[in-house]
Amino acid sequence: MTDELRFISPTGVLGIGYPRESFEAAMAYKPHFIACDAGSADWGPYYLGSGEPWAGYHQTRRDLEPLVLGARKAGIPLLIGTAGMSGADVAVDWTFSILEDIARDNGITARVARIYSEQRAEDLRRFLGEGRISAFDGVEELTVEAIEGAARVVAMMGPEPYQRALSEGAEIIIAGRSSDAAVYAAVPLVRGIPPEIAWHMGKITECGPAIAPGSGECIVGGISRDSFWVRTARDSDAVSPTTVAVHMLYENPSPYLLREPPGVLDTTQSKYISLTDGAVEVSGATFEVLPYTVRLEGVALRGYRSICVLGIRDPGVVRQIDAYTSGVVEMVNVLAPERFGLRPDEWSFTFRRYGLDGVLGELEAELAIDNAERCYEIGLIAEVVAPTQELATELLNSSLPFVVHKVKVPGSVGGANAAFAYAPPVLPTGPVYEWTHWHSLALDDPLLPFRIEHDNVGSPT
Amino acid sequence: MTVASSSRPLSDFTRMIRSRNAGSFVVSIDVIFRNEDSYRRALEKNVFDPVRIGGLYHLDPSVVHVIPHEITWGIKITMPRQKPSGALTDSDIDSAQSYVPLLTLTVPD
């Protein structure tokens, strides 16, 4: 195959927004496919635990609709990876339902594949028993107890489930948890592009305009056997060899190597050069095939959180913030078992000292300096995590008298110790999850843990 | 005779310093220099000595990985997160401000 394949990466994550004019300009390049990532684990375990999307219906539909209409008009595949932020099955179905609305409202039809990536506990136990699951650095080995205690687990698919869905006739794919780069590399790989070119292109384009800082433009590109090029749909000077190369570093532990399900991409010898039309051409990577692995991501429910946002302005309390917060904590430690019958391992009450040393904690270089010298006002978040939302809110509400006035702070004038930012002061923030699964699963068949379902959306008119 | 040496803050020489999760258990920091000179001088002066970086982050130097990236005049620093992203007491979910302790570094002239 010598022909060039062209593609669009409209945006870094579906729902964050892109200029429609930019997408229209990108379509003028006559792309062969459109790919878009719709999720990430980088904003923590909540989305996978709850199955809720980050981008809501309007955000998602606004971004998805032009892609669907553009792809169907041009007769090219549209691939959406890690649907609904986490790629949970429920998030795939939610995204599919938006697609149904788009098809109905625009009078179009499409063959749609949903690819599910959630893992059943019984399958994970079998994989564990077969010795297929191993921990990444810094993570504990997976146990049967952790498998049983998980709220939800997904496996991160490579390109093969996408390729299978396309070969079975899908025109649009809504996929669960996916390697970011695989969403973009799937079509080139199956059309004969060598893995070192396809995977490098996948990594460079997975975040859309991240390679064109400040532009917010859709990214277009072309890929052939020896190299690929990328540029913005408009603004011809927004990408440079440096901006493209810098993206290889992004969210990746190594600046040169990228582990993907079938092996490892090595960009040590890669060349990034400017072409005359504002595009950057990339070549020279290598790819080493390794035993096939996918990442497992899973979370467990730890309780429900309620919070209270507090402002501390009294100079006496600012100076004695530690005496104040530890005084409140002591009182809550008595209250929680007495009034609510909670065991110590069932609940927590903490102050998050955002506005003092809340971000860096013990790494804060200013810690040695007296509070009174470095600030005159402190923002605090009091938070409770408890077995139910109701208990979390009640325990925090019961603590408010201690928060406001019951703790006598040495040196304060005896007024209220803290101001409430909101009415009501106590806000429920929902369930709290923590990562429990962050492991490698070795596979003989890249399709094994994934399920593909085909449907027609819209009705012919 | 000794000549007084001077140092300037790292951020005087950089185009970008950023940090992000590289997965939920690892923080990855990119320091991108403005020009090749300052990139080379920072390397020569061992500004990113893993012992020094480990000190800033309260980590054993053996888990601090410092990898120069020539074509971007960049330094990649990878190390374990203090706690996993989104742990009950985590204070920076996607490691957005984990680079801040590096701002105390200086580059000798």
Side-chain angles (χ1 to χ4, degrees):
Chain A
M1 197 212 75
T2 53
D3 290 348
E4 176 181 83
L5 278 176
R6 285 178 303 280
F7 54 87
I8 301 178
S9 170
T11 183
V13 59
L14 191 73
I16 208 163
Y18 58 84
R20 290 191 180 204
E21 300 75 13
S22 181
F23 178 68
E24 283 161 20
M27 285 302 292
Y29 283 81
K30 301 195 183 306
H32 297 85
F33 68 94
I34 302 170
C36 191
D37 177 34
S40 169
D42 285 329
W43 283 5
Y46 176 83
Y47 299 102
L48 180 57
S50 67
E52 289 174 14
W54 160 71
Y57 180 92
H58 298 93
Q59 281 171 282
T60 303
R61 179 165 176 169
R62 186 206 168 278
D63 278 10
L64 185 57
E65 192 151 359
L67 307 186
V68 171
L69 299 180
R72 293 319 310 133
K73 189 176 172 193
I76 58 175
L78 169 63
L79 295 77
I80 304 292
T82 310
M85 193 67 169
S86 65
D89 289 357
V90 64
V92 170
D93 288 341
W94 177 81
T95 307
F96 177 79
S97 74
I98 298 175
L99 190 58
E100 288 183 305
D101 288 355
I102 291 170
R104 185 195 61 232
D105 293 350
N106 290 280
I108 61 161
T109 62
R111 295 193 298 274
V112 181
R114 278 176 278 182
I115 309 179
Y116 294 109
S117 59
E118 273 186 37
Q119 304 301 307
R120 296 182 306 179
E122 60 189 272
D123 294 330
L124 291 173
R125 280 198 308 270
R126 193 180 74 246
F127 293 146
L128 188 65
E130 292 170 354
R132 295 179 178 277
I133 298 178
S134 55
F136 289 113
D137 278 354
V139 183
E140 289 177 13
E141 292 296 338
L142 195 60
T143 61
V144 173
E145 292 71 33
I147 291 172
E148 303 299 335
R152 200 189 309 274
V153 182
V154 289
M156 184 188 273
M157 70 185 80
E160 295 82 1
Y162 287 85
Q163 294 163 349
R164 170 62 64 88
L166 290 171
S167 74
E168 290 171 347
E171 295 164 327
I172 297 174
I173 296 175
I174 307 285
R177 188 63 172 131
S178 308
S179 148
D180 291 350
V183 188
Y184 304 84
V187 171
L189 284 168
V190 83
R191 299 276 287 268
I193 301 293
E196 62 274 16
I197 308 293
W199 284 108
H200 199 183
M201 181 280 277
K203 169 61 185 170
I204 292 301
T205 53
E206 51 96 4
C207 242
I211 56 170
S215 83
E217 282 288 296
C218 297
I219 298 299
V220 294
I223 187 166
S224 50
R225 288 200 63 85
D226 304 318
S227 66
F228 68 92
W229 58 267
V230 285
R231 56 163 295 158
T232 50
R234 303 175 296 176
D235 285 347
S236 63
D237 59 350
V239 298
S240 72
T242 304
T243 65
V244 173
V246 163
H247 190 68
M248 191 61 210
L249 279 67
Y250 191 64
E251 294 176 341
N252 186 15
S254 162
Y256 296 110
L257 305 178
L258 184 70
R259 181 69 165 103
E260 288 294 337
V264 63
L265 175 75
D266 185 340
T267 65
T268 308
Q269 303 298 326
S270 288
K271 301 269 186 296
Y272 301 81
I273 58 169
S274 285
L275 302 181
T276 50
D277 62 349
V280 169
E281 187 185 74
V282 184
S283 62
T286 58
F287 191 87
E288 181 190 358
V289 175
L290 296 173
Y292 198 97
T293 61
V294 294
R295 185 160 83 201
L296 294 174
E297 296 176 355
V299 299
L301 179 67
R302 296 300 189 216
Y304 294 79
R305 181 184 274 134
S306 291
I307 66 169
C308 178
V309 179
L310 300 163
I312 315 288
R313 182 62 184 81
D314 182 322
V317 186
V318 168
R319 204 171 300 124
Q320 293 289 335
I321 190 73
D322 292 338
Y324 163 66
T325 54
S326 59
V328 174
V329 168
E330 270 174 40
M331 290 180 175
V332 180
N333 280 341
V334 175
L335 177 97
E338 254 184 28
R339 195 176 301 176
F340 297 96
L342 288 168
R343 295 191 318 268
D345 61 340
E346 284 184 312
W347 66 284
S348 65
F349 176 99
T350 45
F351 282 105
R352 196 173 279 266
R353 296 167 33 142
Y354 261 28
L356 184 56
D357 43 29
V359 179
L360 295 182
E362 61 174 15
L363 304 185
E364 180 52 69
E366 312 274 325
L367 267 187
I369 304 170
D370 188 73
N371 290 349
E373 286 177 39
R374 59 185 165 127
C375 55
Y376 58 84
E377 177 173 306
I378 295 173
L380 283 185
I381 301 168
E383 65 173 63
V384 167
V385 178
T388 67
Q389 189 73 69
E390 196 176 24
L391 271 173
T393 295
E394 287 196 37
L395 178 52
L396 191 48
N397 269 322
S398 302
S399 307
L400 292 185
F402 314 148
V403 167
V404 177
H405 59 78
K406 282 205 175 166
V407 174
K408 298 300 172 209
V409 180
S412 78
V413 296
N417 290 329
F420 297 142
Y422 299 110
V426 172
L427 308 167
T429 66
V432 182
Y433 300 90
E434 288 187 314
W435 293 114
T436 51
H437 297 51
W438 199 268
H439 295 79
S440 166
L441 168 64
L443 293 173
D444 302 320
D445 174 4
L447 297 170
L448 179 70
F450 306 104
R451 292 164 293 124
I452 303 174
E453 287 185 17
H454 294 275
D455 285 281
N456 292 305
V457 299
S459 44
T461 49
Chain B
M1 193 182 95
T2 55
V3 176
S5 67
S6 60
S7 290
R8 282 198 286 149
L10 173 63
S11 55
D12 283 7
F13 302 96
T14 54
R15 192 164 63 74
M16 175 172 69
I17 304 177
R18 69 179 174 191
S19 53
R20 285 288 187 282
N21 291 349
S24 296
F25 294 77
V26 172
V27 53
S28 185
I29 307 177
D30 304 335
V31 179
I32 311 292
F33 284 86
R34 289 178 196 278
N35 57 54
E36 188 170 359
D37 266 7
S38 42
Y39 165 73
R40 300 237 173 268
R41 190 159 69 251
L43 283 180
E44 271 165 29
K45 304 286 186 184
N46 207 16
V47 169
F48 301 98
D49 176 14
V51 173
R52 182 180 292 123
I53 306 296
L56 291 175
Y57 287 90
H58 300 196
L59 289 170
D60 190 280
S62 65
V63 298
V64 176
H65 303 285
V66 178
I67 311 166
H69 191 239
E70 295 279 336
I71 55 172
T72 57
W73 304 323
I75 306 287
K76 165 68 82 181
I77 304 170
T78 296
M79 59 190 131
R81 286 177 60 99
Q82 288 187 288
K83 50 193 82 165
S85 167
L88 285 186
T89 54
D90 182 27
S91 56
D92 187 355
I93 299 293
D94 73 346
S95 300
Q97 301 218 323
S98 295
Y99 61 86
V100 170
L102 292 185
L103 301 183
T104 60
L105 294 176
T106 57
V107 181
D109 282 338

